[in-house]
Amino acid sequence: MRLQYSPNVRIVEMTCSGNIDHRVILNAFEEGADGVFVAGCMEGDCHFLKGNIRAKKRVHAVKKLLDEIGIGGERLEMYNLSSAQGSRFAEIADEMTARIRELGPNPLTGVGAACCGCSKEGGAK
Amino acid sequence: MIIAQQKPIKDIAAMVSDCRKVALIGCAGCVTVCLSGGEKETEILASAMRMMRRLEGKPLETVTFTATRQCDPEYVDALEGLVKDVDAVISLACGVGVQYLAERFDKWVVPALNTNFIGGSRVHGVWEEKCGLCGDCILHKTGGICPIIRCSKSILNGPCGGSQYGKCEISKDVDCAWQLIYDRMKKLGRLDKLMEIQPAKDWSTSRDGGPRRAVREDVMIG
């Protein structure tokens, strides 16, 4: 199946959408991504039972945070599709690309360096 | 554990609006367990604040660290090198941690959390208040259910007239603590214990006696 989809989509593979962390999404935006979509399995089909449901809740929380800080929650979306739905993936990639094109580039672009010099120290584990 | 919840990010940002570099200090104690001020929450807040400030055209530099406990001087001392060149410290601990940091460092220390209550988790993501910190526990008299904090009136010889169908008059979602106590004592076959009239409580062990202090000389070092 040689499907065409927007070349601007960069895939970050995760073991399960339930493994998605708020920080992974925020990091993408901070590093300049214009939009992020999380592709989880179909609801009810999670190998780990609730991974995609958890991802959905986290995506919802990050959308809210993005709204609060001025990036805009509409730049983030959760989709559910199975690994056998290649054409649906291509469709979503195009759909999301169109949405982001309409919204314009990440508002952080052009307002300072890609990273402001955050430094993380090893903390208590 | 102490249950705390994060303040709105705009409120936190406003507290450090004139700072260029801040340290966000999480706590690996209670606030990590109640998911409000642990390592993850500290990094999320730092990232969100950096983005917010970049959009405002006033980039913010952040340093993040999660202390083992902010309510213990030995772990607070270890933060010295980390906070020395920052304009402000944002503490993601309970009110105790914020005060320990403020006491130890000559820095502008601000709270990122609102400290709510002492409680536990019912299910993941739901926490409920269980202890009123009265300083004179009477749970042995009430079947393990605290009337001080779980009864809206903190009465000792309940229930009151506001108890209806097992619920408190303040809300249909709040159980009447005295109904719970009665049911529990009945189940345990100890209803006779409830016949004992409880005298007025001595509140001097609670907040009415001013700030409290606990001392254990046998464990003091030096």
Side-chain angles (χ1 to χ4, degrees), chain A residues 3 6 8 10 12-13 37 41 43 60 66 72-73 76 79 87 91 95 111 121 124:
Chain A
L3 294 166
S6 305
N8 47 285
R10 179 174 165 185
V12 178
E13 288 177 17
F37 75 86
C41 296
E43 284 189 15
H60 182 72
L66 291 171
L76 170 66
Y79 288 94
S87 52
E91 199 177 288
E95 189 180 302
V111 289
E121 304 286 331

Side-chain angles (χ1 to χ4, degrees), chain A residues 23 30 68 116 120 122 124, chain B residues 10 43 47 50 54 65-66:
Chain A
R23 290 170 290 187
E30 202 173 355
E68 284 172 34
C116 66
K120 189 172 84 176
Chain B
K10 283 197 167 66
E43 286 170 12
S47 173
R50 285 195 301 269
R54 266 173 69 191
F65 182 81
T66 303

Side-chain angles (χ1 to χ4, degrees), chain B residues 33-222:
Chain B
V33 185
C34 71
L35 309 173
S36 54
E39 189 177 359
K40 180 176 173 179
E41 293 76 25
T42 304
E43 286 170 12
I44 291 171
L45 180 62
S47 173
M49 287 189 66
R50 285 195 301 269
M51 286 195 268
M52 211 172 163
R53 288 284 295 266
R54 266 173 69 191
L55 286 176
E56 289 170 7
K58 297 187 295 180
L60 179 72
E61 195 179 337
T62 63
V63 181
T64 58
F65 182 81
T66 303
T68 302
R69 281 192 298 279
Q70 285 189 32
C71 56
D72 228 329
E74 67 176 290
Y75 300 114
V76 175
D77 284 346
L79 303 172
E80 187 153 24
L82 211 72
V83 303
K84 67 171 187 255
D85 65 340
V86 298
D87 303 318
V89 179
I90 300 175
S91 168
L92 284 92
C94 66
V96 181
V98 179
Q99 293 183 62
Y100 268 67
L101 295 189
E103 193 178 288
R104 176 65 179 76
F105 306 114
D106 290 329
K107 291 282 175 186
W108 177 239
V109 181
V110 302
L113 309 184
N114 288 323
T115 308
N116 302 120
F117 52 82
I118 296 279
S121 38
R122 170 57 50 197
V123 292
H124 201 65
V126 177
W127 296 273
E128 46 189 30
E129 189 165 22
K130 290 285 188 187
C131 175
L133 302 167
C134 71
D136 183 17
C137 193
I138 52 162
L139 284 169
H140 58 294
K141 293 178 178 173
T142 56
I145 294 158
C146 176
I148 304 300
I149 205 66
R150 295 176 67 183
C151 165
S152 304
K153 291 177 175 170
S154 299
I155 54 177
L156 297 173
N157 296 285
C160 72
S163 174
Q164 285 208 336
Y165 308 111
K167 298 292 175 186
C168 174
E169 63 184 332
I170 65 152
S171 163
K172 62 177 173 46
D173 299 324
V174 176
D175 288 328
C176 166
W178 275 100
Q179 180 73 54
L180 296 176
I181 293 168
Y182 178 85
D183 293 345
R184 171 103 174 125
M185 292 300 249
K186 191 175 177 186
K187 197 174 165 189
L188 295 173
R190 292 182 178 235
L191 274 180
D192 55 305
K193 294 261 180 201
L194 290 182
M195 296 307 287
E196 215 176 289
I197 303 293
Q198 297 303 317
K201 191 171 171 67
D202 174 8
W203 290 100
S204 66
T205 55
S206 184
R207 274 289 299 138
D208 298 37
R212 292 167 282 180
R213 190 181 174 96
V215 180
R216 275 271 312 268
E217 283 186 8
D218 60 322
V219 295
M220 288 169 82
I221 300 167

